[in-house]
Amino acid sequence: MILSKRRTTPPDHHSRVLDAERTEAALLEHYVRLVRLAHVTLPRTLGQHRRVLAAHGVVQAALPRRGVLVPGPRGDGAEGAGASTYGLLRLRVLRAVLSRDGTSSAPARIRWRRPGRVLPAVWGLRVFPQAAGAEELVLDHALARSEGPVRAAFALLALDGLAPADASEVLRALDVRDPEGTVAAALRLADAARPAGRDDPEEAGTSAPVPAPASDPCLLHARPSDLLRRRHRLRAVAATLALAAATGAALLTLPSDAGRRSEAPRAAAAAGTLPPPGAAPDAWTHTARLDFGVWPARGRRTGDSALLGRALRAWTDRGWRGRRSVEPGEPAAGGPGTWQPGARLLFADDVDGHAVVLLRDGVHLVRYSEPLHGGTPELTVARTKDADVTTAAAVVVARSPRSVRLLLAPWVAAAAVRDLREPSAGPRAVGRDGNGVTEPVAVAAPGGPCHDVPAVQLRSSSRIAEDHAFLLADLGGLVPAHLTYMPAPRPGVRPRPPREATGEAGLRGWAATACRLAGLHGRGVRSVNHWVFAAQPLPEGSGTAAWVCARADTWRGTGDVEYLFVAPGGTDAKVVGRGRDTAQCSRFGQNALAHTEWRAPSGAPYLLAAASRAVTRLDVTAPVRSTADGRFLAVAVPGGRPAEVTGRLPDGTRIDSPLSPDGP
């Protein structure tokens, strides 16, 4: 028996020895399969280029030099988990990947090497798999938020086609805690990512297959790396050293952490050090995370040291004299809490008679604007932590009472504007210059009559996702809000996360509720979801009404909701309930209930109530007593009296209908 000299634990009766020659043949035979397993399991923080190279590297490193002892499962099912040579190679690959994440207690036996230090290495090129579709993009984002063992379980189910019990045995062999719970989490992730319209496997009586990612890390596209950055690398190194020296001098003179944090950028600005530029121009093409971190520095004044110094001082100096605008929940500008180390320059140019600078630090986005011909400069600070492909797609760089100019993300392929109140009217294309700044885009005036509600419709590059279009609405902030839609539930179809509102049903739904956006101006809203939680047939054959929960999530993490009733053919929604700082109508509050008084065409008043799909009973205690099995209720009542409605879940849990507001 030939064993690896690196073995540090004694063999046991579960261990197996891999013969080098036989193992090489098995590895070559199953190479693509193993690389796909590693690619799905690796963390998305590596980016597409590094993750592809890492997947190939970890599979190639799984081949033993002579022979190697591989620990097998430590419980029942040892033969099922890794009896074949492929099974043992799979254990080595997954153990190496999970040990890097710190999620496996077993010895890795494969040293993790950074891509580029050993083969495979790629110089001067960036490689990435083919562009993902919209469904796969949702799946990849869900995998990015999951832990390593859950990604490994998903890979075993989707790529190797293992049954849940067999996947649990493999995870047990990898010393994953709670293998059954991990497989269950992977199955829930797969259900959430399953395309709409597919039958519910539980109701259909069959087990639906776990959707496998279509991207293949062995079929790659290649693009050159950042040519300009390589050409100016020495200049960038010199600027970085200057910034480090200025920061170090400030740190030596300040005793407190808070003081050091706020004075470091001020000292750098005073020393004439420029904020480093953003990412490489092509960084967005080879990463799995699209946010402001992959925006390059754009504009004709990115080298204007005087302008950038004034912008940096306005951000960090409490004594700066100018107008400051801070979105709700953020500390006052100029304090330690409004600046994080690592600020980057995103934009500097003249826009509509103002010099505009955009800076970011990973938590905040800052816009500095000063008139070109005299006047008071202005600084706007907004929280943009955890932005994504949609919420980091546009920034307002100039604003007038009736229009804005947007700076679009580098992955935006097309831009248009449409009126949410006219869903049948097509979008109108919006032009932009070479730096990504759009022509003036109309916005709704807050407080005025709701005749039209403009929204920007953007389409992502096909290198990001196929046919991925989304809507943004200006709500007075630095970053427009993302508008999404959830249709009414259908029997036999699992509910899905919020989807883009650019389809026919989404546009029709938003047409009746778009005027409610005016009440969200200036509140730091990140996204607004239009959820049709019920569609109720009305008494006297009067058609079908829609019940909507409109949830506005802020960048601070809080959310407000409005419950809306939309009568058949109605062009405006009636507000029937509200909630502030609540989890209602989110993934943490999926049960909804609302009620309202409605008059039939005959003039008879009815109390209507509707709930989401999990509610099994509705009870009315005022102004009359009534009970209805299911999630709909319609009962004749005396008009103009307050009502009390409650619902019950299958386990007996009670939910209350929100009180009707006094006015619309």
Side-chain angles (χ1 to χ4, degrees), residues 362-375:
V363 177
H364 308 94
L365 190 68
V366 171
R367 182 187 66 207
Y368 172 80
S369 175
E370 63 179 30
L372 295 178
H373 304 294

PDB file of all heavy atoms in Angstrom, residues 362-375:
ATOM      1  N   GLY A 362     -18.400  51.523  -0.780  1.00  0.00           N
ATOM      2  CA  GLY A 362     -18.895  50.195  -0.465  1.00  0.00           C
ATOM      3  C   GLY A 362     -20.168  50.212   0.359  1.00  0.00           C
ATOM      4  O   GLY A 362     -20.932  49.250   0.352  1.00  0.00           O
ATOM      5  N   VAL A 363     -20.413  51.290   1.093  1.00  0.00           N
ATOM      6  CA  VAL A 363     -21.631  51.443   1.890  1.00  0.00           C
ATOM      7  C   VAL A 363     -22.465  52.599   1.371  1.00  0.00           C
ATOM      8  O   VAL A 363     -23.689  52.520   1.301  1.00  0.00           O
ATOM      9  CB  VAL A 363     -21.298  51.656   3.377  1.00  0.00           C
ATOM     10  CG1 VAL A 363     -22.565  51.893   4.195  1.00  0.00           C
ATOM     11  CG2 VAL A 363     -20.542  50.459   3.927  1.00  0.00           C
ATOM     12  N   HIS A 364     -21.801  53.693   1.010  1.00  0.00           N
ATOM     13  CA  HIS A 364     -22.494  54.903   0.592  1.00  0.00           C
ATOM     14  C   HIS A 364     -22.150  55.264  -0.847  1.00  0.00           C
ATOM     15  O   HIS A 364     -21.088  54.896  -1.367  1.00  0.00           O
ATOM     16  CB  HIS A 364     -22.106  56.093   1.488  1.00  0.00           C
ATOM     17  CG  HIS A 364     -22.266  55.829   2.949  1.00  0.00           C
ATOM     18  ND1 HIS A 364     -21.234  55.378   3.733  1.00  0.00           N
ATOM     19  CD2 HIS A 364     -23.340  55.934   3.757  1.00  0.00           C
ATOM     20  CE1 HIS A 364     -21.670  55.230   4.978  1.00  0.00           C
ATOM     21  NE2 HIS A 364     -22.938  55.555   5.014  1.00  0.00           N
ATOM     22  N   LEU A 365     -23.063  56.019  -1.452  1.00  0.00           N
ATOM     23  CA  LEU A 365     -22.831  56.661  -2.739  1.00  0.00           C
ATOM     24  C   LEU A 365     -22.978  58.158  -2.501  1.00  0.00           C
ATOM     25  O   LEU A 365     -23.918  58.595  -1.824  1.00  0.00           O
ATOM     26  CB  LEU A 365     -23.844  56.179  -3.772  1.00  0.00           C
ATOM     27  CG  LEU A 365     -23.597  56.582  -5.225  1.00  0.00           C
ATOM     28  CD1 LEU A 365     -22.356  55.889  -5.755  1.00  0.00           C
ATOM     29  CD2 LEU A 365     -24.799  56.211  -6.087  1.00  0.00           C
ATOM     30  N   VAL A 366     -22.057  58.939  -3.027  1.00  0.00           N
ATOM     31  CA  VAL A 366     -22.011  60.382  -2.771  1.00  0.00           C
ATOM     32  C   VAL A 366     -21.974  61.120  -4.095  1.00  0.00           C
ATOM     33  O   VAL A 366     -21.200  60.764  -5.002  1.00  0.00           O
ATOM     34  CB  VAL A 366     -20.782  60.749  -1.920  1.00  0.00           C
ATOM     35  CG1 VAL A 366     -20.613  62.259  -1.850  1.00  0.00           C
ATOM     36  CG2 VAL A 366     -20.915  60.181  -0.525  1.00  0.00           C
ATOM     37  N   ARG A 367     -22.823  62.150  -4.220  1.00  0.00           N
ATOM     38  CA  ARG A 367     -22.786  63.028  -5.389  1.00  0.00           C
ATOM     39  C   ARG A 367     -22.441  64.432  -4.934  1.00  0.00           C
ATOM     40  O   ARG A 367     -23.138  65.015  -4.086  1.00  0.00           O
ATOM     41  CB  ARG A 367     -24.132  63.029  -6.105  1.00  0.00           C
ATOM     42  CG  ARG A 367     -24.141  63.913  -7.383  1.00  0.00           C
ATOM     43  CD  ARG A 367     -25.541  64.010  -7.972  1.00  0.00           C
ATOM     44  NE  ARG A 367     -26.445  64.718  -7.076  1.00  0.00           N
ATOM     45  CZ  ARG A 367     -27.763  64.526  -7.057  1.00  0.00           C
ATOM     46  NH1 ARG A 367     -28.319  63.652  -7.869  1.00  0.00           N
ATOM     47  NH2 ARG A 367     -28.526  65.202  -6.218  1.00  0.00           N
ATOM     48  N   TYR A 368     -21.356  64.960  -5.474  1.00  0.00           N
ATOM     49  CA  TYR A 368     -20.948  66.348  -5.215  1.00  0.00           C
ATOM     50  C   TYR A 368     -21.237  67.149  -6.475  1.00  0.00           C
ATOM     51  O   TYR A 368     -20.871  66.750  -7.587  1.00  0.00           O
ATOM     52  CB  TYR A 368     -19.468  66.403  -4.868  1.00  0.00           C
ATOM     53  CG  TYR A 368     -18.927  67.813  -4.767  1.00  0.00           C
ATOM     54  CD1 TYR A 368     -19.121  68.577  -3.624  1.00  0.00           C
ATOM     55  CD2 TYR A 368     -18.202  68.375  -5.818  1.00  0.00           C
ATOM     56  CE1 TYR A 368     -18.621  69.876  -3.529  1.00  0.00           C
ATOM     57  CE2 TYR A 368     -17.697  69.670  -5.739  1.00  0.00           C
ATOM     58  CZ  TYR A 368     -17.915  70.412  -4.588  1.00  0.00           C
ATOM     59  OH  TYR A 368     -17.417  71.689  -4.499  1.00  0.00           O
ATOM     60  N   SER A 369     -21.912  68.290  -6.317  1.00  0.00           N
ATOM     61  CA  SER A 369     -22.284  69.109  -7.463  1.00  0.00           C
ATOM     62  C   SER A 369     -22.011  70.572  -7.140  1.00  0.00           C
ATOM     63  O   SER A 369     -22.430  71.063  -6.091  1.00  0.00           O
ATOM     64  CB  SER A 369     -23.771  68.905  -7.794  1.00  0.00           C
ATOM     65  OG  SER A 369     -24.191  69.761  -8.832  1.00  0.00           O
ATOM     66  N   GLU A 370     -21.299  71.262  -8.039  1.00  0.00           N
ATOM     67  CA  GLU A 370     -21.030  72.689  -7.849  1.00  0.00           C
ATOM     68  C   GLU A 370     -21.323  73.430  -9.149  1.00  0.00           C
ATOM     69  O   GLU A 370     -20.994  72.958 -10.239  1.00  0.00           O
ATOM     70  CB  GLU A 370     -19.587  72.927  -7.416  1.00  0.00           C
ATOM     71  CG  GLU A 370     -18.540  72.499  -8.418  1.00  0.00           C
ATOM     72  CD  GLU A 370     -17.116  72.786  -7.960  1.00  0.00           C
ATOM     73  OE1 GLU A 370     -16.893  72.776  -6.739  1.00  0.00           O
ATOM     74  OE2 GLU A 370     -16.248  73.009  -8.826  1.00  0.00           O
ATOM     75  N   PRO A 371     -21.991  74.592  -9.070  1.00  0.00           N
ATOM     76  CA  PRO A 371     -22.269  75.372 -10.287  1.00  0.00           C
ATOM     77  C   PRO A 371     -20.975  75.798 -10.967  1.00  0.00           C
ATOM     78  O   PRO A 371     -19.973  76.124 -10.308  1.00  0.00           O
ATOM     79  CB  PRO A 371     -23.052  76.574  -9.762  1.00  0.00           C
ATOM     80  CG  PRO A 371     -23.581  76.149  -8.422  1.00  0.00           C
ATOM     81  CD  PRO A 371     -22.554  75.215  -7.861  1.00  0.00           C
ATOM     82  N   LEU A 372     -20.996  75.826 -12.284  1.00  0.00           N
ATOM     83  CA  LEU A 372     -19.797  76.209 -13.032  1.00  0.00           C
ATOM     84  C   LEU A 372     -19.543  77.707 -12.985  1.00  0.00           C
ATOM     85  O   LEU A 372     -18.392  78.148 -13.181  1.00  0.00           O
ATOM     86  CB  LEU A 372     -19.938  75.755 -14.494  1.00  0.00           C
ATOM     87  CG  LEU A 372     -19.995  74.243 -14.729  1.00  0.00           C
ATOM     88  CD1 LEU A 372     -20.183  73.956 -16.216  1.00  0.00           C
ATOM     89  CD2 LEU A 372     -18.725  73.576 -14.214  1.00  0.00           C
ATOM     90  N   HIS A 373     -20.574  78.509 -12.717  1.00  0.00           N
ATOM     91  CA  HIS A 373     -20.419  79.958 -12.783  1.00  0.00           C
ATOM     92  C   HIS A 373     -20.828  80.621 -11.476  1.00  0.00           C
ATOM     93  O   HIS A 373     -21.511  81.645 -11.466  1.00  0.00           O
ATOM     94  CB  HIS A 373     -21.245  80.518 -13.950  1.00  0.00           C
ATOM     95  CG  HIS A 373     -20.907  79.887 -15.268  1.00  0.00           C
ATOM     96  ND1 HIS A 373     -19.685  80.037 -15.890  1.00  0.00           N
ATOM     97  CD2 HIS A 373     -21.647  79.071 -16.072  1.00  0.00           C
ATOM     98  CE1 HIS A 373     -19.677  79.360 -17.024  1.00  0.00           C
ATOM     99  NE2 HIS A 373     -20.853  78.763 -17.158  1.00  0.00           N
ATOM    100  N   GLY A 374     -20.435  80.029 -10.384  1.00  0.00           N
ATOM    101  CA  GLY A 374     -20.712  80.634  -9.087  1.00  0.00           C
ATOM    102  C   GLY A 374     -22.006  80.146  -8.492  1.00  0.00           C
ATOM    103  O   GLY A 374     -23.004  79.976  -9.187  1.00  0.00           O
ATOM    104  N   GLY A 375     -21.993  79.925  -7.191  1.00  0.00           N
ATOM    105  CA  GLY A 375     -23.173  79.423  -6.502  1.00  0.00           C
ATOM    106  C   GLY A 375     -22.764  78.474  -5.393  1.00  0.00           C
ATOM    107  O   GLY A 375     -21.574  78.226  -5.159  1.00  0.00           O
TER     108      GLY A 375
END
